[in-house]
Amino acid sequence: MAVPDSFRPRALRLLRLLSRPGFHLFLTGLLMVLGFVLAHRLSERSGRDQLSALSTERLELYASNLAAELGRHASLPSLLAIAPTLQALMQAPDDARARRDASQMLARVNVRAGTHQIFVAAPGGQVLSASEALAPPARLSEALAQGRSHFFAADPNTGSTDFYLLHPLRQTGAAAGVIVVRFNLAPLEATWIDLGLRSQGERILVADDQDVVIMSSVQAWKYAVLDHADPSRRQALQASARYPQPIGPDLDLPASLEVHQGQQVKLPLPGSSGAKPMLAQQRQIVPLGLRLVALSDLTEVRQRAQLAAWGGAAFGASIGLLALYLSSRRRALRQLTQAQADLRQTHAQLEQLVDSRTAELRQTNDALKTQIAQRLQTEGELLQASKLAVLGQMSAGLSHEVNQPLTALRALARNSIRLLETGRQDAVATNLQLMDDMVERMSQITRQLKSFARKADERVEGSAALLDCVRNALLLLEHRSRALDVMTVIDVPAGLRVRAEANRLEQVLVNLFGNAIDAMQNEPERRLRVLVIRQEGGRRALVRVQDSGAGVGEADLQRLFEPFFTTKPAGEGLGLGLVISAKIVHEFGGTLRAERLEHGMSFEFDLSVDTWEHQDV
Ligand code: ADP
C-alpha cells in the first residue's frame, strides 16, 4: 500500500513518542485513573443493582407481610355484625344488660382473635360496649364522619401505631352503630427491626397518605414527615388527631420515589455521625393508602467499589508497566541488535586489518628470508675467505713445520743407508721409528689444514673431546707460541666430551688462541690459560680462554664481534675471526662473550656436555 510522503515523518514522530519512557509513565498514570474510575463505576453499579434486586424482593416480602397482617382480621367486624348479642345491643343501646352481654362476648372474641380491642360505638362516637376499657382514639369521630372502613392512629400511651377496622351496624336499614376492631402493629414493627438487623442494615418505613412515617424499623424516624413540610402543612399535621404530639422532624426522603426504582438518598441514622448513603426503594400499598419504603445501606457497596477501584487502578498500572517493560525490552533488543551489528562490522574491519597486516608481514618475512639467504650466502663466502686468510697466515708456520721434518727425514734416510751398509740394523730401526713419528706429525698437520679448508656442514653431529681439540688448536699455533715463549696452562678434564663438531670447535679455539698470542706479542709476561667450568649440574661446560696480553679498551670491547673490526695492521687482520667463532658457537647452542681482565682478556663460551668421564670402548 502506498504511504503518502507527508504521513511518514508524522508516523515516525508518533512512533518515537510512543517508545519514550516518559510517554509510558504518562500512559500508566492514565490507565490507572481510567482503571480506577471504570472499576469504581462498574462495581458500584453492579453492587447497587444487586442491592436493588435484593431490596425489591424484601420490599415485596414486607409488603405482603403488612398486607397479610392488616388483612388477617378484615372479615372479623362483618362477622360480628351479625352476632345476635350485638343485634340485641343495637335494638336497645342504652340497656345495661345488653351492653354487658355484648362486652363479655367482645372480650371473648378479642382474646380468641388476638386483637387489641373490639368495641361497639354509637354513630356519634361514644362507646356502647367494649372488650377492654380503653379510650377510643381521638380520630374515631373523624373516621365515622368520613365513613371509613379502616384508619391508623397512634396510641398515645405506647407511641406505637394501631390499625382500626370499622363495620357499620344497621337497625332497620339505618346506621345504628359501628363495630371497631383495633389491633396493634408494634409486633410487626418488632419483626421488621429484627429482620433489618439480620439483613445488614436494611431499614424499612411505612408512610401514610400524609407522608408521615407511621411505622419504622428505626424508632427515631417514627412520625417524621417525608420530604420537607412547609410550616402550614406542619401546623396542620400537628393539629391532626392522628399522630402523637409533636410530630417528628423532617426526613430528607423524596416523597415522590418511583416504585421499584432505587434512588440514592442520605439519611441520618441514630448512633452514627452524619448522614448515611442509602438506596431507597418504594412500594405502594394502594388499598390502604400506604407507602412502604425500604432503605439499604450503601456503605458496603461503596467500600467494595473503593476496593474494586484500587484493583482497577492496579490493573491499569500493570498494563501500563507491562507496556513500559515490553517497550524497554524492545528497545534493549534493538540496542543489542545494533551492538551486534556494530560488533560484526568492527570484527570484519579487524579481520580486514589483520589480513592486510598479515600480507604486509608475509611480504616483510619474505624480504627478510631473502636477506637472510643472501646474508648466509655472504657469510658462507666470508667464512671461506676467512679460512683462506687463516690458511695464508698459517702457510709460514706450515712451511716451517713441514720443512724441518723433511730435512730431518732426508738426513735420517741418508744416515740409515749408511748404517745398513755397515750392518747396524738396530740403529736403522731407531731411525725408521723417528721417521715414522715425523711423517705422522706431518700428516696431522695436513689433516688439520684439510678440515680447515672444508666448507663446514651446517648440522652439529656427534661429540668432540674438548682436550683433543684444545691440543690440536695449540699444535697448529705451536710455532708461534714457541717463538714467543708463551706459557700455556690447560685446565681441561681429559674425559670431557662436548656436543660440537671437532673441526669447527678447533677453528674457534685456533682463532681465540691466535688472537691471544697476537695480543701478548709485546708483553713481558705471556700466559695463556684454557679452563673449563661445570654449569647446570654438569649438563653444560663453560670454556674460558684467558691471556695476559694488551687487552682492548672499553670502547673496543663493544665492537669486538662486529664484522671487519680489527686493530691489527692491514694484511694481518680481517676482523672476521670473532664473528665467525661466535656464529659457530651459536650453532653449537652456546654464546661467545668477551671480558676485560686486569692484565689481558678473557673469552668464554658454553657448550652442551656429552660426558665428563672417559668411556673405554
Ligand atoms: P682479527 O684477528 O682478524 O683482527 P678478530 O675478529 O679475530 O679479527 O679480532 C678482532 C679484534 O679483536 C682484533 O683485531 C683485536 O684487536 C681484538 N682482539 C681479539 N682477541 C683479542 C685478545 N685476546 N686480546 C686483545 N685483543 C683482542
Side-chain angles (χ1 to χ4, degrees):
M1 199 176 76
V3 179
D5 282 352
S6 62
F7 178 73
R8 255 182 227 142
R10 241 183 295 154
L12 273 177
R13 262 207 307 278
L14 189 68
L15 269 178
R16 226 171 290 141
L17 178 78
L18 288 182
S19 62
R20 269 195 206 148
F23 172 77
H24 281 101
L25 285 178
F26 167 73
L27 187 74
T28 307
L30 195 72
L31 283 172
M32 267 179 83
V33 172
L34 266 176
F36 187 91
V37 172
L38 267 176
H40 191 276
R41 282 257 172 101
L42 285 175
S43 167
E44 199 178 32
R45 184 173 296 171
S46 98
R48 267 183 62 171
D49 287 352
Q50 274 180 14
L51 200 65
S52 167
L54 203 70
S55 187
T56 309
E57 271 177 34
R58 291 238 181 87
L59 202 58
E60 287 301 323
L61 193 72
Y62 288 128
S64 56
N65 197 221
L66 181 64
E69 187 65 24
L70 297 181
R72 196 145 57 100
H73 305 290
S75 52
L76 188 59
S78 52
L79 282 175
L80 283 171
I82 54 167
T85 320
L86 295 190
Q87 294 286 341
L89 179 66
M90 283 303 101
Q91 278 165 9
D94 299 323
D95 181 39
R97 191 192 159 96
R99 281 192 183 189
R100 200 178 56 239
D101 286 351
S103 293
Q104 279 173 355
M105 189 273 279
L106 291 177
R108 276 199 305 276
V109 174
N110 188 42
V111 171
R112 291 260 171 88
T115 47
H116 201 51
Q117 188 190 20
I118 306 175
F119 61 88
V120 176
Q126 82 268 28
V127 175
L128 299 175
S129 167
S131 63
E132 313 285 327
L134 292 170
R139 213 191 150 191
L140 180 64
S141 39
E142 178 199 323
L144 286 173
Q146 290 171 352
R148 283 174 162 273
S149 62
H150 66 268
F151 69 90
F152 292 91
D155 183 340
N157 302 320
T158 60
S160 63
T161 305
D162 287 338
F163 182 59
Y164 295 86
L165 280 167
L166 292 89
H167 192 83
L169 283 169
R170 296 182 188 281
Q171 193 62 42
T172 56
V178 64
I179 295 177
V180 181
V181 177
R182 168 187 184 180
F183 56 93
N184 191 246
L185 293 175
L188 184 64
E189 226 173 20
T191 334
W192 287 357
I193 293 171
D194 185 45
L195 263 175
L197 284 176
R198 268 187 274 151
S199 61
Q200 292 144 11
E202 191 166 67
R203 273 85 183 179
I204 191 99
L205 63 84
V206 177
D208 64 4
D209 53 351
Q210 295 298 311
D211 291 333
V212 176
V213 178
I214 57 166
M215 284 174 78
S216 174
S217 60
V218 180
Q219 285 305 302
W221 293 349
K222 282 278 281 289
Y223 305 111
V225 187
L226 296 191
D227 224 339
H228 292 284
D230 55 53
S232 61
R233 190 165 153 247
R234 180 168 274 276
Q235 224 170 8
L237 288 173
Q238 291 279 20
S240 163
R242 291 192 199 187
Y243 316 108
Q245 303 304 322
I247 63 158
D250 289 348
L251 205 58
D252 196 8
L253 195 69
S256 56
L257 277 172
E258 289 294 319
V259 181
H260 289 313
Q261 194 181 331
Q263 187 169 334
Q264 201 173 315
V265 294
K266 278 196 166 185
L267 289 180
L269 273 178
S272 69
S273 59
K276 266 202 154 195
M278 305 195 101
L279 184 74
Q281 275 181 298
Q282 179 181 274
R283 168 89 156 72
Q284 300 272 12
I285 304 171
V286 182
L288 296 172
L290 296 179
R291 290 198 294 148
L292 197 65
V293 180
L295 292 148
S296 312
D297 197 345
L298 277 172
T299 316
E300 202 179 318
V301 171
R302 291 214 164 161
Q303 279 170 352
R304 253 188 267 146
Q306 281 293 330
L307 271 177
W310 284 117
F315 182 67
S318 10
I319 288 182
L321 289 175
L322 185 72
L324 177 68
Y325 165 73
L326 286 177
S327 141
S328 45
R329 189 155 169 259
R330 208 178 51 219
R331 202 167 44 247
L333 273 175
R334 216 172 31 235
Q335 283 171 353
L336 193 72
T337 321
Q338 182 63 41
Q340 277 174 345
D342 289 353
L343 203 68
R344 265 200 299 275
Q345 198 183 346
T346 316
H347 188 253
Q349 284 174 348
L350 211 65
E351 264 190 353
Q352 221 174 358
L353 200 70
V354 167
D355 282 352
S356 75
R357 286 285 146 83
T358 311
E360 280 174 23
L361 271 175
R362 206 171 290 133
Q363 271 180 5
T364 316
N365 202 19
D366 288 348
L368 270 173
K369 269 186 191 161
T370 322
Q371 277 183 12
I372 287 169
Q374 286 171 353
R375 214 38 177 291
L376 283 174
Q377 197 184 346
T378 317
E379 271 179 12
E381 285 165 5
L382 281 172
L383 183 68
Q384 206 58 19
S386 92
K387 279 181 182 173
L388 289 174
V390 173
L391 272 176
Q393 281 176 2
M394 285 193 306
S395 58
L398 185 70
S399 63
H400 174 76
E401 286 291 328
V402 176
N403 280 345
Q404 208 183 19
L406 277 177
T407 317
L409 273 175
R410 188 186 291 149
L412 279 171
R414 284 180 186 163
N415 184 253
S416 298
I417 294 167
R418 267 197 299 276
L419 285 173
L420 273 176
E421 284 169 357
T422 54
R424 288 179 59 188
Q425 299 286 339
D426 53 337
V428 172
T430 312
N431 274 359
L432 282 172
Q433 186 58 50
L434 280 169
M435 284 164 76
D436 186 52
D437 287 351
M438 282 172 188
V439 169
E440 173 56 29
R441 188 181 163 90
M442 286 196 313
S443 69
Q444 255 184 16
I445 292 168
T446 49
R447 259 204 314 274
Q448 292 296 326
L449 280 172
K450 203 173 128 201
S451 77
F452 218 78
R454 183 175 62 87
K455 197 167 183 176
D457 194 346
E458 292 297 314
R459 282 169 300 146
V460 180
E461 273 176 0
S463 64
L466 184 64
L467 188 58
D468 287 353
C469 291
V470 170
R471 281 190 180 141
N472 286 341
L474 283 172
L475 192 66
L476 279 171
L477 298 164
E478 199 184 4
H479 65 285
R480 290 185 62 206
S481 58
R482 212 184 296 147
L484 288 171
D485 198 14
V486 175
M487 192 179 92
T488 308
V489 180
I490 300 170
D491 215 347
V492 177
L496 176 60
R497 296 190 72 85
V498 289
R499 291 239 146 244
E501 206 185 330
N503 290 339
R504 304 177 81 203
L505 180 57
E506 278 169 25
Q507 189 180 344
V508 173
L509 291 168
V510 165
N511 196 271
L512 294 179
F513 295 160
N515 280 343
I517 293 167
D518 287 345
M520 293 188 292
Q521 217 162 0
N522 302 319
E523 298 303 307
E525 195 188 357
R526 299 174 191 115
R527 261 186 301 109
L528 177 66
R529 189 176 172 212
V530 186
L531 63 130
V532 168
I533 299 164
R534 282 171 80 101
Q535 280 188 330
E536 296 181 17
R539 281 201 301 279
R540 293 188 79 76
L542 185 76
V543 184
R544 192 173 280 168
V545 179
Q546 294 176 332
D547 65 63
S548 57
V552 291
E554 185 62 48
D556 287 347
L557 184 70
Q558 313 299 324
R559 305 188 57 201
L560 289 185
F561 296 97
E562 283 178 18
F564 302 110
F565 172 76
T566 180
T567 56
K568 292 173 190 168
E572 277 183 39
L574 272 174
L576 289 171
L578 284 178
V579 182
I580 292 164
S581 300
K583 180 178 170 281
I584 292 170
V585 169
H586 183 70
E587 281 167 8
F588 293 161
T591 313
L592 178 61
R593 289 176 290 268
E595 197 187 333
R596 287 186 337 135
L597 298 176
E598 201 179 336
H599 297 291
M601 286 294 287
S602 169
F603 285 85
E604 63 181 28
F605 56 92
D606 56 317
L607 292 171
S608 184
V609 170
D610 209 19
T611 174
W612 287 92
E613 306 299 331
H614 254 309
Q615 282 175 339
D616 296 324
V617 185

